[in-house]
């Protein structure tokens, strides 16, 4: 029994993550149509416009709308994007997101990459090769790390 | 190289792991000269921090000698002795520019995990779980230091390693606590 102690924080964290995710989605039935926004600590002229997209957003060019405006409080520029066609509810479901099938995950990654490139000059890559070995709990965390760049509130 | 790895709750072991490599142009690799254990390492060992994987290298207070630099590094050269901050900050996001380095927007490679667990992702911390960036820790012979121009600091001649080491985490933590309490 003692060997299972490690599962307590993992399960508690997982339950909390699911609770946050589910409550966020319940409160907004139109989540698939929402703008995804990053605030970039650079002036608007450095960020671009809907005619001249930052490089990480190039591949989405035909499929997204983009909005660029000055952020309040001297925090730089708000860069927002959303798909022209609303994302189907099935693609936004938890199973689809765990499977990496929600197209908003790629868009979130691209927005984060844009912010990192403009602010810091590069997108930080994780260490490699890994030092970890496969365990049941480790495989679950590995799945979350694969998806995490495309998840989270924006 | 040899490194101290988390293997499970209350279980650590010294393992042979691959050497770190430069992954970004602003990285340096340092060879450890001195490192110490933080009270926060106990949270990992005791299993109170989720998102650890068996084999993760822990440790986040260290001082080393630069052995390799990325092409965009300007403030460090091979052979320099530097103390490294536990948190990794890009130095140019709003948080870093306002001295809130632990909230750096650009160093946590797993932002979704941090958001799910904490409501907002922190910046990255060396060797402190995949929720806090997943970077390798410093209880090792070599460490990759991202954004080194902003998080690694030259140690002046005449100051020994053990004295300078505490600028990595212990001193700034105590300083901040005293400052916040007025």
């Amino acid at each position: 029994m003692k060997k299972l102690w490690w599962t307590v924080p993992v399960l508690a964290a997982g339950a909390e993550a699911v609770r946050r995710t589910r409550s966020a989605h319940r409160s907004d039935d139109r989540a698939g149509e929402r703008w995804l926004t990053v605030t970039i600590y650079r002036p608007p002229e450095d960020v671009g416009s809907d005619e001249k997209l930052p490089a990480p957003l190039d591949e989405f060019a035909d499929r997204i709308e983009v909005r660029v405006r000055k952020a309040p409080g001297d925090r730089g520029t708000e860069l927002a994007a959303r798909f022209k066609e609303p994302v189907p509810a099935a693609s936004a479901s938890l199973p689809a997101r765990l499977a990496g099938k929600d197209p908003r995950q790629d868009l979130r990654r691209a927005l984060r990459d844009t912010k990192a490139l403009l602010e810091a000059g590069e997108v930080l890559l994780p260490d490699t090769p890994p030092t970890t070995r496969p365990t049941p709990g480790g495989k679950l965390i590995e799945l979350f790390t694969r998806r995490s760049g495309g998840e989270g509130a924006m | 190289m040899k490194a101290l790895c988390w293997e499970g709750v209350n279980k650590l072991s010294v393992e042979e792991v691959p050497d770190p490599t430069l992954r970004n142009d602003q990285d340096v690799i340092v060879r450890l000269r001195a490192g110490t254990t933080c009270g926060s390492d106990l949270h990992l060992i005791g299993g109170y921090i989720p998102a650890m994987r068996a084999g993760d290298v822990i440790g986040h207070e260290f001082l080393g000698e630069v052995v390799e630099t990325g092409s965009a590094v300007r403030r460090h050269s091979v052979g320099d002795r530097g103390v490294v901050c536990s948190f990794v900050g890009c130095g140019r996001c709003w948080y870093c520019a306002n001295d809130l380095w632990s909230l750096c927007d650009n160093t946590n490679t797993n932002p979704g995990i941090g958001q799910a667990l904490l409501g907002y992702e922190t910046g990255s911390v060396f060797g402190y779980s995949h929720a806090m960036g997943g970077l390798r820790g410093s209880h090792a012979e070599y460490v990759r230091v991202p954004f080194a121009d902003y998080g690694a600091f030259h140690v002046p001649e005449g100051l020994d390693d053990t004295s300078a080491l505490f600028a990595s985490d212990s001193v700034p933590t105590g300083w901040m606590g005293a400052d916040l309490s007025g």
Side-chain angles (χ1 to χ4, degrees):
Chain A
M1 192 64 191
K2 197 175 175 184
K3 286 184 177 176
L4 294 177
W5 279 14
W6 67 271
T7 62
V8 174
V10 170
L11 290 174
E16 174 61 10
V18 168
R19 187 191 68 76
R20 284 174 187 265
T21 299
R22 293 182 69 180
S23 59
H25 278 255
R26 265 201 304 270
S27 63
D28 185 356
D29 293 336
R30 300 175 65 196
E33 300 172 37
R34 268 210 331 244
W35 290 92
L36 302 175
T37 308
V38 286
T39 304
I40 301 173
Y41 197 46
R42 305 288 300 175
E45 56 270 25
D46 288 0
V47 174
S49 65
D50 48 358
E51 284 90 37
K52 186 172 182 248
L53 296 178
L57 293 177
D58 273 349
E59 66 174 287
F60 300 93
D62 298 335
R63 293 182 287 146
I64 59 171
E65 301 172 74
V66 171
R67 191 174 65 195
V68 178
R69 66 183 181 191
K70 193 171 184 298
D74 292 328
R75 291 196 176 211
T77 303
E78 287 182 350
L79 171 65
R82 68 176 176 184
F83 286 103
K84 291 174 181 169
E85 296 294 325
V87 176
S91 296
S93 66
L94 187 59
R97 290 162 60 204
L98 286 171
K101 302 290 187 190
D102 183 347
R104 292 174 307 163
Q105 292 172 324
D106 290 333
L107 187 54
R108 282 195 193 92
R109 270 192 208 93
L111 285 166
R112 286 190 171 115
D113 288 357
T114 300
K115 174 179 166 69
L117 286 169
L118 287 168
E119 289 181 343
E122 63 185 19
V123 178
L124 185 66
L125 299 171
D127 283 319
T128 194
T131 60
T132 50
R133 56 183 174 76
T135 62
K139 284 181 178 171
L140 191 62
I141 293 166
E142 186 186 3
L143 171 66
F144 291 153
T145 59
R146 278 207 304 271
R147 300 287 173 260
S148 67
E151 286 292 337
M154 278 189 164
Chain B
M1 68 170 184
K2 285 190 168 55
L4 182 66
C5 297
W6 186 92
E7 296 293 339
V9 175
N10 291 325
K11 193 175 173 190
L12 302 175
S13 69
V14 175
E15 299 288 339
E16 193 69 35
V17 299
D19 288 353
T21 56
L22 294 174
R23 294 277 283 150
N24 286 94
D25 292 344
Q26 298 176 56
D27 291 352
V28 304
I29 305 287
V30 300
R31 181 180 62 79
L32 256 285
R33 289 174 59 101
T36 188
T37 301
C38 180
S40 301
D41 286 334
L42 301 178
H43 307 153
L44 300 174
I45 297 167
Y48 301 106
I49 304 289
M52 290 294 290
R53 296 180 61 189
D56 279 332
V57 180
I58 66 170
H60 56 264
E61 296 194 45
F62 62 108
L63 177 150
E65 177 187 333
V66 176
V67 294
E68 206 172 350
T69 62
S71 60
V73 173
R74 296 290 174 265
R75 297 175 187 166
H76 302 282
S77 302
V78 171
D80 286 354
R81 190 167 60 120
V83 62
V84 182
C85 179
S86 299
F87 269 88
V88 183
C90 75
R92 287 150 287 181
C93 68
W94 185 88
Y95 290 107
C96 289
N98 285 274
D99 282 341
L100 298 165
W101 295 74
S102 62
L103 291 170
C104 176
D105 268 339
N106 295 314
T107 56
N108 190 334
T109 58
N110 299 315
I113 298 179
Q115 283 202 14
L117 296 177
L118 307 170
Y120 193 84
E121 73 271 23
T122 65
S124 204
V125 189
F126 291 99
Y128 214 75
S129 87
H130 295 270
M132 295 192 180
L135 290 175
R136 290 190 194 183
S138 60
H139 294 323
E141 292 180 90
Y142 295 91
V143 186
R144 167 195 174 218
V145 179
F147 297 117
D149 281 347
Y150 297 89
F153 302 88
H154 290 283
V155 178
E157 291 294 324
L159 190 60
D160 65 89
D161 288 352
T162 306
S163 301
L165 171 63
F166 296 100
S168 175
D169 181 350
S170 307
V171 169
T173 300
W175 187 291
M176 182 178 170
D179 186 55
L180 288 175
S181 62

